[in-house]
Amino acid sequence: MAEIIQKDGTWVFDGDALRLTPGRDKNVSLLRSELGELLVPLAALAGVSFEQGKKSGRLRLRLRDGADPLVHATGGRLTEPHDPYQLLVESDRYGVAEYFVDEVRNALLLDQVPSGPVDAYLLPGPSVPLSVSAGDGIAHFDGERVRLEWKWQAEDAKSAAGPRTLPLVDIVAVEWQPSAGLENGHLRFTVRAAPGKVPPKYDPNAVELWGFKRDPLMALVAAAVQARLPHPAARAALEEARAADGTSAPGPAPAPTPAPAAEDDHDALLRRLRELGDLHRSGVLTDEEFTLAKQAVLKRR
């Protein structure tokens, strides 16, 4: 087991998973404190590194694409104070940090953990119910629906319409964007059959963020919703199936390639069917989506 204890937090690795606990120091961000302890399975890791500085260093975990709904919902835009996968290390603990990195890297090699993307979330996302007040609104999420309430600072286009309730089944995407410079940030939900995007300031499906201390907490709402939406890999598989089935506009025709050998074609078919079966059993694909995707694969045989 490897362990490193700092004011910024405590990281423990037992060979199978990393337990990341935020510190109690006043400089630890609200987001990391609210997020609480994270259990990161070894299979979710793409790598680990340690960077030394004159006064302090930094441990960093790199997760595999698609492993964590928080990373996906925020697009990797969480800055250093709020990123739960970074740990500030004091100079007198550099040796411990290097040992920690070696232990994790050795485990990744021994278990032959690939660094590529995954087709299902390996972390559960923040627990619900969840309520966050920031910017021009308050976002509530109970696991089945998002409710947006407006503060007095909200534009008339929002406040006049009153609170907004978005069933999870109507949400197709979620995006959290921090403020940067003079540009405000936002938490935005893309909803089926909604009109084209308008600026978050006027969008009834978005909370505008102004760069204040509580803004990053909206990333928790984004992650909790993202964790309950179809995984990006499932969505890509469904779009591919719909395109093959003719239910959506096809993309540009691919460049012709030599036909594979019959054995290779058969193996690829079986592999693709197994992948779809795994997605179906894990609940990522519904019965209807699985049937549609399977039919599309078989038609291309």
Side-chain angles (χ1 to χ4, degrees):
M1 185 179 78
E3 180 181 59
I4 181 166
I5 303 173
Q6 294 290 278
K7 293 179 180 178
D8 200 32
T10 299
W11 286 13
V12 179
F13 177 57
D14 63 6
D16 295 317
L18 293 99
R19 190 175 298 276
L20 315 180
T21 306
R24 298 178 179 272
D25 188 75
K26 63 181 181 180
N27 293 322
V28 175
S29 77
L30 284 174
L31 184 146
R32 289 178 59 204
S33 297
E34 290 293 327
L35 188 59
E37 186 175 86
L38 292 176
L39 187 65
V40 183
L42 186 65
L45 283 186
V48 58
S49 63
F50 175 60
E51 304 162 3
Q52 292 189 14
K54 291 183 179 179
K55 295 183 179 180
S56 63
R58 194 172 302 281
L59 271 171
R60 298 178 189 268
L61 296 180
R62 184 166 58 88
L63 272 61
R64 298 170 65 186
D65 288 345
D68 181 22
L70 175 63
V71 173
H72 183 79
T74 59
R77 292 183 291 266
L78 283 175
T79 55
E80 172 270 318
H82 313 295
D83 187 347
Y85 303 115
Q86 296 188 37
L87 182 71
L88 197 64
V89 179
E90 297 169 1
S91 58
D92 62 348
R93 289 293 181 270
Y94 282 2
V96 178
E98 290 169 348
Y99 171 75
F100 190 94
V101 168
D102 288 341
E103 288 293 293
V104 176
R105 286 178 175 171
N106 289 337
L108 289 171
L109 288 173
L110 288 173
D111 285 19
Q112 297 184 335
V113 177
S115 59
V118 297
D119 57 13
Y121 291 123
L122 301 180
L123 285 90
S127 58
V128 294
L130 188 62
S131 294
V132 174
S133 173
D136 66 353
I138 305 170
H140 310 273
F141 181 53
D142 62 5
E144 296 181 357
R145 61 189 61 81
V146 172
R147 181 175 172 83
L148 302 178
E149 299 175 358
W150 309 115
K151 299 181 181 179
W152 66 269
Q153 300 99 324
E155 290 290 323
D156 289 344
K158 291 181 176 181
S159 57
R164 181 87 164 159
T165 298
L166 308 174
L168 184 63
V169 294
D170 291 341
I171 298 174
V172 297
V174 57
E175 176 188 60
W176 175 83
Q177 175 76 48
S179 59
L182 298 178
E183 295 292 327
N184 291 334
H186 62 263
L187 169 67
R188 188 200 300 269
F189 300 96
T190 301
V191 181
R192 287 187 177 87
K197 283 186 177 180
V198 298
K201 186 175 184 178
Y202 307 103
D203 188 348
N205 298 323
V207 175
E208 187 181 39
L209 304 174
W210 300 322
F212 296 136
K213 187 177 181 179
R214 295 184 61 83
D215 282 9
L217 292 179
M218 281 294 181
L220 298 179
V221 179
V225 173
Q226 185 67 56
R228 290 159 177 83
L229 294 178
H231 190 272
R235 182 172 294 133
L238 181 59
E239 289 174 355
E240 178 185 350
R242 285 174 174 165
D245 197 48
T247 55
S248 63
T257 56
E263 296 82 4
D264 293 340
D265 188 58
H266 181 68
D267 290 344
L269 173 66
L270 292 177
R271 183 171 61 252
R272 186 59 177 147
L273 289 174
R274 282 196 296 270
E275 290 172 354
L276 291 173
D278 291 341
L279 290 171
H280 182 231
R281 283 189 293 275
S282 65
V284 174
L285 289 178
T286 65
D287 292 344
E288 180 182 355
E289 291 168 341
F290 172 66
T291 300
L292 179 62
K294 184 172 67 173
Q295 289 173 348
V297 170
L298 292 173
K299 284 180 181 179
R300 293 199 299 271
R301 185 178 178 181

